[in-house]
Amino acid sequence: MNILRLASTPSTQEVARDLPLGSAVVTDHQTAGRGRLGRSWETPPGTALLASFVMPARPLASLAAGVAAAHACGPPSRLKWPNDVLLDGAKLAGVLAEVHGDRVVVGVGVNLTWAPPGAAMLGAGTDRDGLLDRLVAGLERWFGAPDAEVLAGWRERAETLGKPVRVELPGESFEGLAEDIAEDGSLIVAGRAIAAGDVIHLR
Ligand code: BT5
């Protein structure tokens, strides 16, 4: 991958969307880091791995990116649907997959030496370049994998499956058991397929 390093930028997602396939943008600081659904991603300067990768669009891109991020963060990390990386049940990393035509810009933020209250971090001993290398290799691997393998990789790391959850949709919320993920990556809760929305683990 062709890696562009910036000291500071509003959001690596914005820089990456104008770059060709196979590019990545890494920064020490974002002044307007983004989460999903208009939310923000906050990290003080120099405390996190913040990167965006320009990948080919594919079905299950968001799950493939989550599996790659969980593998890069190490064996104890787990996935909360669709692609939050958890450590001991707390959010360690966030993944944002934004489709632009035939490409998807995958943004990954991993907390290293700071985390907001209730969230997790990998710790000061983390080799940031090693983590970036593992992410690049993982994204290449999982974006090249057949759908069935991505689903299996996601299930293997899933924290959400088998748990009671609350699903929050625009204008509606309900609780039920998270039973499985469907072939299109939707989460099945109490027999309903959820394609987009927020899930809260109830225990
Ligand atoms: C995400 O959104 O989890 C996707 C975050 C993606 C961030 C990367 S950093 C590199 C690239 N450039 C960007 O601008 N973005 C990407 P979401 O699931 O919507 O979660 C956002 C929520 O997580 C916020 O509303 C907060 O509650 C929480 N949050 C914010 N900062 C956090 C942090 N550093 N650690 C843990 N949780 C955080």
Side-chain angles (χ1 to χ4, degrees):
M1 240 182 227
N2 203 353
I3 300 180
L4 173 65
R5 293 174 189 270
L6 302 171
S8 175
T9 184
S11 163
T12 54
Q13 290 293 100
E14 297 312 311
V15 182
R17 66 175 290 170
D18 296 324
L19 298 178
L21 264 182
S23 307
V25 182
V26 184
T27 193
D28 286 335
H29 183 44
Q30 293 185 130
T31 52
R34 294 209 308 268
R36 296 179 299 137
L37 309 166
R39 294 186 287 240
S40 62
W41 186 256
E42 309 284 346
T43 45
T47 65
L49 178 75
L50 303 168
S52 295
F53 308 85
V54 187
M55 304 298 295
R58 62 160 289 167
L60 305 181
S62 161
L63 295 191
V67 177
H71 279 251
C73 288
S77 66
R78 312 283 296 167
L79 285 164
K80 172 172 170 284
W81 186 87
N83 56 21
D84 280 356
V85 181
L86 307 182
L87 193 59
D88 297 326
K91 187 155 168 172
L92 169 68
V95 177
L96 175 66
E98 295 180 313
V99 177
H100 301 286
D102 59 354
R103 307 176 324 158
V104 53
V105 177
V106 174
V108 182
V110 184
N111 298 324
L112 299 178
T113 56
W114 177 90
M121 58 184 133
L122 274 184
T126 310
D127 168 9
R128 201 189 304 207
D129 286 333
L131 178 60
L132 178 62
D133 288 347
R134 291 196 300 280
L135 254 180
V136 168
L139 285 167
E140 282 168 354
R141 177 188 167 198
W142 290 99
F143 268 74
D147 289 2
E149 217 174 283
V150 173
L151 292 170
W154 192 90
R155 285 190 183 99
E156 196 185 302
R157 284 301 187 106
E159 178 95 347
T160 304
L161 298 183
K163 272 201 158 57
V165 297
R166 182 162 67 247
V167 178
E168 299 194 333
L169 304 171
E172 186 199 357
S173 90
F174 69 97
E175 295 181 3
L177 196 68
E179 291 158 354
D180 197 4
I181 40 169
E183 283 185 6
D184 68 352
S186 299
L187 183 68
I188 317 250
V189 179
R192 277 178 67 177
I194 310 301
D198 272 318
V199 163
I200 292 151
H201 292 167
L202 296 178
R203 66 165 167 73

